[in-house]
């Protein structure tokens, strides 16, 4: 599905140059569930942004679905991104001015789906995420767990091959956190590849594999023997 | 496929509008500032546009408006000054039609003040005109009853407007009815017409046949070239260039002009009728005209206001961009491309503009009656209910929507999702644009400051004109019209009778009062007989005039009844006349007045007084006793109980003059009337300046609140470290102060330059002092500080924990 070869990312301000990623080599296969862990500032989010085609690396190669994309323009990346990748964020990142329904619908609008197709698909996903009864509410009227379910619904609405989750449980209590992890696991079981950044070991253990990042390097990879992991392998 | 694309576009537009409306509702404060600012801007702009359109519409309702010209004359007055006069003499019109084939028609009109009696009801008609029958060929006048071809052919026929007909006859048929003019001449109504619309440089209520004047006026009115009492209009043949007849007229006049006319270099010129309202400021205009300079100034103000309002929008939207950055990031992440986002933000700006336009139209609807009342116009929003105006409004929406929306759209859509979503707010980005925002606020304030300074200068000049020592005392002077031969015969009796009232302090008679146009006579010094006569202003006064008016005698003595010969030959003149004739010893100088009609000897010199408006320098004037010319009595009355005094005087009048109405006015009001259009102009500039400043302050307020919000954390940290509230307020206000300072430096020199040029219109004007600019700068600082301090004080008083938790 995706592979990085000696991936590098440098941030330069006027005086300081910071290396966020240094020679990262990572391969993720279709259907995998990978967790990325590491302390604050280790480069987790940077890696996720590059994998999610939101940013370009400073060096190295990135192969995504058989494309070498490290030199792609924003427009090219956007085209690959909008039909192949769904995002889930720690802070949900819903648009406050739109209702639940409209937030979930948005990716389909940008993909040019017709009105009836959109309505049908959104209803399906809202049912699947058990949030259909809240379809006309605005994000601020929902609890954190509900908001994250809406975000997940939005991430999967276009049936992406890959979901990138950046600390999806970070703003939730444990009950809601468990709920979100269960949803991600189910999606993975249905064949969606998932890469998740997390701080919490207990949520990382839902994955098949945990990649540890430290100061921009991958320091270790653990294959887990969870039920899900066994099933996948 | 195309259908699908259309559908897609429609869906996206619906989505943009939805987002726009919800954003507006959610961000109430900012939206209100944005929309109200823009609405006020659009309303001002449209109002001024309507006003300007109305001003340009003057005299265009005539079907042949592009071929109608007014003939005006120029002559050299004392000191070589060229005077332009709107009136012409009787003979001119016939010469024009007889000798110039390009002139298709020519019409003479004149306005009289008429006393009309019908069925024992008396009316004073100030818009009673006499005209040649050709008036209906030259001007477009619609007949309701009667025949334009014959209506004014006979002497003592009169055509009246529908309103006039209603006033006299109610619902009776007016045709054939008889109106008694000056209680002795019956005029027969031969036609009823529709009066001119408001956009005309003159308005009539009645038009009598020109033939009638032969019986009313003495023969001299129909002979002399200097006897100017008519307005001559010509209709040129289609395709004629007006300069052709003008040149021909010049050479014709060179050959045929009488000697007297030649000595003052009398010339005639053609003026398009459509130029009269905005560009004509001659002597003896039919009614006070407007000024094209005002139009330019209003248009500039309108554009300034719109620019300020658009700047507000740009500023607030970019300032607020941080709060929108998350949305941009999300949209980009899930697949929006930049053009789509640009369209979205422009769409929002257009929605805001539409909302502003609707509110703006509402503002206009609410203020229009007042504005109409104030400008004397009859404008209506209904004039927008046509295709062209609708297109214009659409144009405004697109222009303002795009103009104000394009920059924020480009700016907002440039956010990178990876920056804005990872919590690193795009502080760098915002800071880059801070310079632009400061520039915009500075420019807005510069415009506002320029307008404040200009308004103050205009007001100072107007106040100066109102309060300047005119060289005479204009207060508490009641003018009684000697509107009939009987009253003119009884001047002395009336004066004594009025004086018997305790409230009347002094009385005097005169041919004219200051602010009126004076007659001019051909005057030359007898000591040095000259071939060349000069036209010098002359006033007929009586012995009491100088005392009553409080005019100072600087040399010699006043006219006095003690000196038996004064009645026949004494003259007074002003200092300007002394300078003009270069008299070293003016007392005793002798003059030939009006080519031997009268000889005069100077007995005194009066201090220069402003008998004309302050636009022009004081010209030489001769004052002498000449009872035939007395046309009004001046009564100096006590300031107390003026209404009662007027009632008493009216009683005295009627006790002596049985039939004729009592007509009076106040001198100070007459003089104020001369400056009315300036007063109105000053007020309009004042109101629109206030609005411009209001909009600029809205923007500043919004920006201050944003800027304060940005610095919440800094404020918290400073307070934790021990900064006092006043230190914080100072810190937050300092920045804005700097901008206002820069704005002052841009605006004040510009205002000085422009206003100095405006002041050149006035012969008597103020000097623009430093105090105006210091005052303006102070006002700008106070307004800016006041606007900003609300935010800074609030931020400074907040609990530091609040601001730190914000992060």
């Amino acid at each position: 599905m995706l592979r990085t070869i000696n991936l590098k990312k440098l941030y330069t301000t006027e005086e300081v140059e910071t290396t966020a990623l240094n020679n990262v080599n990572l391969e993720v296969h279709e259907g995998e569930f990978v967790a990325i862990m590491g302390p604050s500032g280790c480069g987790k989010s940077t890696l996720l942004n590059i994998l999610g085609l939101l940013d370009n690396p400073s060096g190295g190669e990135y192969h995504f679905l058989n494309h070498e994309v490290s030199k792609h323009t924003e427009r090219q990346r956007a085209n690959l991104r909008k039909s192949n990748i769904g995002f889930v964020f720690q802070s949900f990142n819903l648009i406050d001015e739109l209702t639940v329904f409209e937030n979930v619908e948005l990716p389909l609008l940008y993909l040019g789906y017709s009105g009836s197709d959109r309505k049908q698909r959104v209803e399906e996903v809202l049912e699947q995420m058990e949030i259909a009864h809240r379809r006309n509410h605005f994000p601020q009227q929902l609890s954190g767990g509900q908001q994250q379910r809406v975000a997940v619904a939005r991430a999967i609405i276009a049936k992406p091959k890959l979901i990138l989750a950046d600390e999806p449980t970070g703003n939730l209590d444990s009950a809601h956190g468990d709920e979100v992890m269960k949803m991600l696991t189910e999606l993975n079981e249905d064949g969606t590849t998932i890469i998740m950044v997390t701080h919490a070991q207990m949520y990382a253990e839902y994955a098949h594999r945990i990649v540890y990042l430290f100061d921009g390097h991958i320091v270790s990879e653990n294959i887990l023997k969870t039920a899900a992991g066994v099933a996948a392998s | 496929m195309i259908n699908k694309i259309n559908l897609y576009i429609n869906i996206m537009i619906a989505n943009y509008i939805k987002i726009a409306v919800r954003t507006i509702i959610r961000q109430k404060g900012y939206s209100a500032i944005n929309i109200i600012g823009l609405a006020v801007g659009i309303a001002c702009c449209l109002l001024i546009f309507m006003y300007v359109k109305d001003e340009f519409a003057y005299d265009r309702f005539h079907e042949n408006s592009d071929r109608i010209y007014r003939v005006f004359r120029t002559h050299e007055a004392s000191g070589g000054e060229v005077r332009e006069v709107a009136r012409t003499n009787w003979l001119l019109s016939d010469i024009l039609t007889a000798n110039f084939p390009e002139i298709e028609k020519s019409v003479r009109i004149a306005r009289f003040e008429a006393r009309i009696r019908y069925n024992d009801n008396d009316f004073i008609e100030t818009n009673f005109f006499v005209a040649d029958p050709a008036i209906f060929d030259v001007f477009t006048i619609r007949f309701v009853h009667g025949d334009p071809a014959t209506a004014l052919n006979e002497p003592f026929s009169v055509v009246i407007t529908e309103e006039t007909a209603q006033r006299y006859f109610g619902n009776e048929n007016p045709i054939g009815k008889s109106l008694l003019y000056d209680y002795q001449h019956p005029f027969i109504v031969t036609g009823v017409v529709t009066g001119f619309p408001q956009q005309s440089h003159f308005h009539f209520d009645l038009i009598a046949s020109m033939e009638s004047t032969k019986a009313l006026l003495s023969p001299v009115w129909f002979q002399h070239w200097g006897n100017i009492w008519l307005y001559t209009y010509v209709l040129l043949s289609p395709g004629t260039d007006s300069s052709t007849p003008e040149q021909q007229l010049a050479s014709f006049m060179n050959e045929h002009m009488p000697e007297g006319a030649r000595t003052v270099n009398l010339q005639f010129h053609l003026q398009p009728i459509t130029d009269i309202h905005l560009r004509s400021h001659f002597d003896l205009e039919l009614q006070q005209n407007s000024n094209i300079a005002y139009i330019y100034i209003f248009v500039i103000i309108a554009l300034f206001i719109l620019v300020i309002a658009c700047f507000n929008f740009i500023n607030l939207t970019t300032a607020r961009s941080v709060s929108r950055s998350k949305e941009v990031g999300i949209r980009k992440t899930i697949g929006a491309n930049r053009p789509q986002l640009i369209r979205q933000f422009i769409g929002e700006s257009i929605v805001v503009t539409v909302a502003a336009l609707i509110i703006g139209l509402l503002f206009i609807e609410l203020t229009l009656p007042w504005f109409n009342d104030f400008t004397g116009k009859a404008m209506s929003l209904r004039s927008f209910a046509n295709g062209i105006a609708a297109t214009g409004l659409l144009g405004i929406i697109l222009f303002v929507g795009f103009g104000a929306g394009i920059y924020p759209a480009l700016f907002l859509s440039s956010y990178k999702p990876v920056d804005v979503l990872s919590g690193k707010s795009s502080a760098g980005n915002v800071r880059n644009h801070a310079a632009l925002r400061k520039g915009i606020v500075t420019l807005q304030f510069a415009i506002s400051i320029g307008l404040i300074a200009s308004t103050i200068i205009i007001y100072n000049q107007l106040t100066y004109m109102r309060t300047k020592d005119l060289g005479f005392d204009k207060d508490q002077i009641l003018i009684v019209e000697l509107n009939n031969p009987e009253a003119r015969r009884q001047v002395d009796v009336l004066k004594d009778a009025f004086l018997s009232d305790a409230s009347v302090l002094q009385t005097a008679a005169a041919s004219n009062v200051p602010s009126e146009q004076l007659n001019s006579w051909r005057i030359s010094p007898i000591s040095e007989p000259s071939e060349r006569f000069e036209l010098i202003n002359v006033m007929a006064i009586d012995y009491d005039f100088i005392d009553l008016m409080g005019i100072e005698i600087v040399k010699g003595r006043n006219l006095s009844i003690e000196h038996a010969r004064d009645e026949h030959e004494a003259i007074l003149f002003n200092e300007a006349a002394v300078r003009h004739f270069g008299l070293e010893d003016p007392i005793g100088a002798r003059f030939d007045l009006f080519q031997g009609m009268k000889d005069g000897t100077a007995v005194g010199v009066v201090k220069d007084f402003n008998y004309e408006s302050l636009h022009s320098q004081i010209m030489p004037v001769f004052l002498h006793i000449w009872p035939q010319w007395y046309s009004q009595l001046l009564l100096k009355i006590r300031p107390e109980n003026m209404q009662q005094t007027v009632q008493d005087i009216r009683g005295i009048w009627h006790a002596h003059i049985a039939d004729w109405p009592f007509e009076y006015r106040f001198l100070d009001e007459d003089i104020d009337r001369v400056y009315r259009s300036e007063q109105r102009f000053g007020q309009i500039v004042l109101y629109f300046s206030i609005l411009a400043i209001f909009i600029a302050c809205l923007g500043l307020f919004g920006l201050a609140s944003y800027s304060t919000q940005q610095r919440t954390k800094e404020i918290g940290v400073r307070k934790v470290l021990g900064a006092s509230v006043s230190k914080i307020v100072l810190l937050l206000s300092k920045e804005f102060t700097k901008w206002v300072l820069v704005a002052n430096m841009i605006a004040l020199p510009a205002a000085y330059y422009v206003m100095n040029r405006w002041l050149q219109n006035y012969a008597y004007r103020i000097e623009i002092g430093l105090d105006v600019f210091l005052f303006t700068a102070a006002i700008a600082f106070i307004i800016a500080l006041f606007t900003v301090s609300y935010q800074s004080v609030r931020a400074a008083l907040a609990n530091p924990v609040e601001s730190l938790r914000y992060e």
Side-chain angles (χ1 to χ4, degrees):
Chain A
M1 171 128 222
L2 61 85
R3 191 156 67 99
T4 68
I5 301 166
N6 294 333
L7 204 63
K8 266 199 177 76
K9 182 70 182 177
L10 303 174
Y11 288 113
T12 32
T13 62
E14 279 154 35
E15 282 157 21
V16 203
E17 192 177 89
T18 328
T19 308
L21 294 176
N22 200 358
N23 291 326
V24 172
N25 293 293
L26 176 71
E27 185 165 6
V28 177
H29 296 289
E30 243 177 273
E32 261 196 301
F33 187 159
V34 177
I36 300 174
M37 294 193 72
S40 286
C42 70
K44 299 185 302 281
S45 294
T46 306
L47 179 60
L48 206 64
N49 285 337
I50 293 174
L51 294 182
L53 300 174
L54 290 175
D55 205 358
N56 274 339
S58 316
E61 291 173 24
Y62 176 29
H63 298 268
F64 178 72
L65 294 176
N66 303 322
H67 298 276
E68 209 298 285
V69 296
S70 62
K71 301 281 187 300
H72 269 29
T73 63
E74 162 61 21
R75 183 173 290 245
Q76 289 170 309
R77 281 186 275 129
N79 277 333
L80 267 178
R81 189 165 69 214
K82 68 179 167 186
S83 46
N84 293 307
I85 307 177
F87 292 85
V88 179
F89 302 92
Q90 175 178 2
S91 50
F92 324 134
N93 279 337
L94 299 173
I95 295 179
D96 297 335
E97 286 77 16
L98 297 181
T99 62
V100 166
F101 185 97
E102 289 159 351
N103 262 294
V104 175
E105 182 191 28
L106 207 53
L108 300 183
L109 268 175
Y110 287 120
L111 285 167
Y113 277 50
S114 77
S116 52
D117 288 355
R118 289 201 312 269
K119 190 164 170 20
Q120 193 193 340
R121 177 80 187 121
V122 173
E123 290 297 350
E124 260 172 48
V125 175
L126 290 179
E127 289 294 338
Q128 188 185 340
M129 292 294 128
E130 293 167 8
I131 197 82
H133 60 292
R134 294 280 192 165
R135 66 168 72 75
N136 292 323
H137 287 69
F138 286 92
Q140 314 87 282
Q141 298 168 309
L142 305 179
S143 71
Q146 288 171 324
Q147 288 194 47
Q148 196 59 299
R149 271 190 275 159
V150 176
V152 173
R154 185 180 63 186
I156 63 171
I157 187 85
K159 299 188 174 147
K161 296 189 176 66
L162 173 65
I163 288 182
L164 296 176
D166 192 352
E167 304 238 20
T169 55
N171 283 3
L172 301 175
D173 59 32
S174 62
H176 283 119
D178 287 344
E179 202 177 286
V180 166
M181 287 318 298
K182 240 175 73 203
M183 284 190 312
L184 289 178
T185 310
E186 281 167 21
L187 289 170
N188 179 242
E189 282 166 1
D190 292 342
T192 313
T193 312
I194 296 178
I195 302 176
M196 173 180 77
V197 164
T198 183
H199 266 112
Q201 184 69 32
M202 70 173 192
Y203 292 132
E205 283 169 5
Y206 280 81
H208 305 159
R209 179 151 66 105
I210 302 179
V211 174
Y212 288 95
L213 219 57
F214 188 76
D215 281 355
H217 299 274
I218 294 181
V219 288
S220 72
E221 290 192 39
N222 281 357
I223 310 289
L224 295 170
K225 290 188 174 131
T226 61
V230 172
S233 54
Chain B
M1 181 66 190
I2 287 179
N3 274 341
K4 201 173 166 192
I5 291 173
N6 277 341
L7 181 74
Y8 171 66
I9 288 171
N10 287 340
I11 289 164
M12 292 312 283
I13 288 175
N15 187 266
Y16 296 157
I17 292 176
K18 192 158 65 188
I19 287 267
V21 170
R22 289 193 190 147
T23 310
I24 289 169
I25 294 169
R26 264 175 58 86
Q27 314 248 355
K28 284 189 195 71
Y30 282 118
S31 305
I33 290 177
N34 245 341
I35 294 178
I36 291 174
L38 214 49
V40 173
I42 290 176
C44 290
C45 214
L46 283 178
L47 210 52
I48 292 178
F49 169 75
M50 287 165 73
Y51 179 84
V52 169
K53 186 167 157 268
D54 190 86
E55 288 282 283
F56 275 112
Y58 267 70
D59 294 304
R60 290 185 198 275
F61 63 92
H62 298 295
E63 277 164 29
N64 297 321
S65 61
D66 56 331
R67 292 197 281 136
I68 305 173
Y69 291 79
R70 182 171 73 178
V71 186
F72 68 97
R73 55 175 260 163
T74 55
H75 65 258
E76 274 174 30
S78 47
E81 187 209 18
V82 176
R83 302 228 51 149
E84 298 169 310
V85 186
R87 276 190 206 164
T88 46
N89 58 315
W90 172 268
L91 293 170
L92 178 72
S93 178
D94 295 335
I95 291 174
L96 292 174
T97 33
N99 294 287
F100 303 106
E102 292 88 353
I103 294 176
E104 205 172 279
K105 297 277 179 190
S106 167
V107 60
R108 287 170 291 224
I109 66 170
R111 179 169 56 190
F112 292 166
E113 197 178 87
R115 287 101 200 152
I116 305 286
R117 174 170 291 177
Y118 176 73
N119 276 357
D120 293 336
N121 288 322
D122 287 343
F123 298 86
I124 294 167
E125 299 292 351
T126 49
N127 285 320
F128 181 98
F129 279 77
V130 288
D132 293 315
I135 187 170
F136 305 121
D137 301 322
V138 176
F139 299 130
T140 300
I141 298 175
R142 201 176 65 79
F143 268 72
V144 181
H145 300 292
D147 178 8
T150 57
L152 292 183
N153 288 357
E154 300 300 320
F156 299 108
S157 49
V158 64
V159 168
I160 60 178
T161 63
E162 291 172 288
E163 292 77 20
T164 313
Q166 186 65 36
R167 204 148 39 89
Y168 281 89
F169 309 113
N171 293 326
E172 290 172 50
N173 179 10
I175 301 291
K177 293 255 164 38
S178 168
L179 298 175
L180 199 60
Y181 172 91
D182 273 6
Y183 312 127
Q184 38 186 328
H185 305 285
F187 278 71
I188 306 299
V189 177
T190 55
V192 178
V193 298
T194 309
F196 281 159
Q198 184 252 329
Q199 293 111 327
S200 172
H201 75 283
F202 74 95
H203 295 91
F204 62 87
D205 293 323
L206 305 94
I207 311 174
S209 60
M210 190 56 91
E211 276 302 302
S212 329
T213 57
K214 297 267 174 68
L216 298 173
L217 305 171
S218 78
V220 71
W221 291 58
F222 303 94
Q223 294 156 2
H224 204 283
W225 280 80
N227 231 327
I228 48 174
W229 58 286
L230 301 144
Y231 300 85
T232 308
Y233 296 82
V234 295
L235 179 67
L236 299 187
S237 319
T240 308
D241 181 359
S242 69
S243 61
T244 319
E246 201 169 281
Q247 278 166 8
Q248 289 172 342
L249 191 59
S251 49
F252 182 90
M253 290 308 294
N254 268 337
E255 287 170 35
H256 295 85
M257 203 157 30
E259 190 53 35
R262 194 173 311 244
T263 58
V264 293
N265 195 18
L266 177 65
Q267 300 207 352
F268 293 97
H269 313 269
L270 299 185
Q271 171 186 41
I273 188 173
T274 48
D275 274 3
I276 293 176
H277 178 64
L278 287 176
R279 297 169 201 272
S280 183
H281 308 284
F282 301 157
D283 295 345
L284 302 171
E285 291 282 357
L286 271 165
Q287 76 192 20
Q288 196 178 27
N289 290 325
S290 183
N291 192 333
I292 189 78
Y294 296 168
I295 301 292
Y296 293 143
I297 292 176
F298 289 149
V299 168
I300 289 171
I301 292 178
L303 291 179
F304 274 167
I305 289 178
L306 196 61
V307 164
I308 290 181
C310 285
F311 277 175
N312 261 2
F313 183 91
I314 294 173
N315 238 351
L316 291 174
T317 314
T318 47
R320 263 176 52 215
S321 54
V322 172
S323 68
R324 297 297 298 274
S325 62
K326 184 183 119 189
E327 183 193 331
V328 172
I330 296 168
R331 282 177 182 273
K332 282 197 165 179
T333 304
I334 62 180
N337 57 32
R338 199 168 172 208
Q340 285 170 324
L341 290 172
I342 290 176
R343 281 200 292 276
Q344 178 190 337
F345 288 119
I346 294 217
E348 280 182 24
S349 138
I350 287 177
V351 169
V352 168
T353 311
V354 170
L357 180 70
I358 292 168
I359 295 175
L361 288 174
L362 201 71
F363 283 163
I364 294 182
E365 184 65 33
L366 290 175
T367 53
L368 204 53
W370 171 83
F371 193 69
N372 272 337
D373 192 46
F374 170 64
T375 54
K377 293 197 179 296
M379 300 183 296
S380 153
L381 266 186
R382 261 176 284 285
S383 65
F384 280 106
N386 64 53
I388 299 169
T391 317
L393 290 184
L394 195 69
I396 288 185
I397 290 173
L398 291 180
F399 178 78
V400 175
F402 270 99
I406 187 72
Y407 178 75
L410 289 174
F411 172 50
L412 276 171
S413 65
S414 70
Y415 279 132
K416 289 205 175 75
V418 61
D419 291 336
V420 288
L421 292 183
S422 56
K424 278 187 287 176
S425 89
S426 49
N429 227 345
V430 171
R431 205 163 291 134
N432 284 340
H433 291 272
L436 176 109
R437 281 203 306 279
K438 286 174 193 168
I440 286 181
V441 166
T442 307
L443 206 57
Q444 285 182 315
F445 253 73
I447 293 174
S448 307
I449 289 167
L451 287 174
I452 300 178
S454 306
T455 310
I456 294 175
I457 292 167
I458 290 171
Y459 258 77
N460 281 352
Q461 173 67 15
L462 293 177
T463 311
Y464 169 78
M465 293 197 297
R466 224 180 27 246
T467 56
K468 181 184 184 299
D469 179 10
L470 298 172
F472 60 88
D473 189 3
K474 64 177 173 161
D475 296 318
Q476 272 90 50
I477 293 182
L478 183 83
I479 302 165
V480 178
E481 285 286 329
L482 296 172
N483 53 9
N484 62 89
E486 195 187 338
R488 285 193 282 274
R489 272 194 304 276
Q490 297 197 47
V491 165
D492 290 329
V493 178
L494 279 171
K495 278 175 70 178
D496 286 343
F498 287 140
L499 267 181
S500 69
D501 189 296
S503 298
V504 177
L505 302 170
Q506 281 171 289
T507 63
S511 58
N512 303 84
V513 294
S515 83
E516 284 181 333
Q517 202 90 41
L518 300 191
N519 291 295
S520 41
W521 284 19
R522 295 150 200 282
I523 290 177
S524 62
I526 288 176
S527 55
E528 37 179 310
S530 158
E531 288 298 295
R532 196 177 152 80
F533 292 103
E534 281 184 279
L535 288 175
I536 304 278
N537 291 322
V538 175
M539 263 173 104
I541 58 171
D542 68 0
Y543 299 108
D544 301 319
F545 181 82
I546 297 289
D547 274 350
L548 181 141
M549 294 291 286
I551 295 169
E552 194 185 328
I553 306 265
V554 291
K555 241 187 207 136
R557 61 170 177 84
N558 193 356
L559 302 173
S560 164
I561 200 148
E562 311 286 309
H563 294 74
R565 299 185 62 82
D566 272 12
E567 188 182 347
H568 303 291
E569 58 170 43
I571 50 174
L572 295 175
F573 45 35
N574 62 357
E575 296 165 302
V578 174
R579 282 193 300 274
H580 176 68
F581 289 105
L583 301 172
E584 299 217 336
D585 183 17
I587 305 302
R590 292 175 54 75
F591 291 88
D592 173 7
L593 308 180
F594 218 116
Q595 294 169 305
M597 202 144 106
K598 178 177 177 178
D599 280 358
T601 305
V603 299
V605 178
V606 298
K607 195 171 168 46
D608 281 342
F609 62 102
N610 291 92
Y611 59 91
E612 291 185 302
S613 86
L614 293 169
H615 294 107
S616 35
Q617 290 287 352
I618 296 173
M619 303 303 289
V621 63
F622 280 53
L623 306 115
H624 67 145
I625 310 275
W626 194 254
Q628 298 96 300
W629 278 42
Y630 296 157
S631 64
Q632 38 215 341
L633 286 182
L634 288 77
L635 276 58
K636 180 89 177 173
I637 58 173
R638 287 187 194 281
E640 304 85 23
N641 263 331
M642 303 243 283
Q643 270 185 326
Q644 186 53 46
T645 308
V646 171
Q647 281 311 319
D648 295 346
I649 295 170
R650 185 193 303 273
I652 298 170
W653 169 271
H654 284 302
H656 289 81
I657 311 290
D659 270 346
W660 294 76
F662 172 70
E663 294 173 52
Y664 73 98
R665 28 189 239 282
F666 286 97
L667 180 60
D668 52 353
E669 289 171 8
D670 265 20
I671 289 170
D672 281 350
R673 198 165 299 130
V674 175
Y675 307 112
R676 189 181 285 164
S677 82
E678 267 118 353
Q679 297 279 5
R680 188 184 287 166
F681 166 72
Q683 272 171 305
I684 294 181
V685 172
L686 174 70
Y687 295 142
F688 284 115
S689 302
I690 289 173
L691 287 173
I693 294 157
F694 169 73
I695 300 173
C697 282
L698 275 185
L700 186 62
F701 182 81
L703 212 57
S705 77
Y706 161 76
S707 167
T708 310
Q709 199 176 311
Q710 283 291 97
R711 298 172 77 168
T712 309
K713 184 179 152 198
E714 180 193 338
I715 294 165
V717 172
R718 281 178 188 269
K719 286 192 79 172
V720 168
L721 295 178
S724 68
V725 170
S726 57
K727 281 249 171 56
I728 300 278
V729 172
L730 190 70
L731 173 82
L732 291 171
S733 309
K734 211 168 60 186
E735 199 182 339
F736 291 93
T737 315
K738 210 163 57 195
W739 305 349
V740 175
L741 190 69
V742 175
N744 270 308
M745 291 189 323
I746 300 171
L748 296 181
Y752 177 81
Y753 175 76
V754 173
M755 293 323 289
N756 216 11
R757 288 197 52 179
W758 177 74
L759 284 173
Q760 302 304 317
N761 288 328
Y762 299 90
Y764 298 89
R765 56 182 177 254
I766 52 163
E767 285 296 316
I768 303 178
L770 197 61
D771 52 339
V772 170
F773 295 123
L774 291 177
F775 183 65
T776 308
I779 286 186
F781 275 112
I782 290 167
I783 292 177
L785 269 181
F786 190 75
T787 311
V788 171
S789 63
Y790 171 77
Q791 300 289 349
S792 16
V793 170
R794 210 171 60 156
L797 287 176
N799 189 341
V801 178
E802 299 284 326
S803 41
L804 290 178
R805 205 164 53 196
Y806 207 93
E807 265 298 286

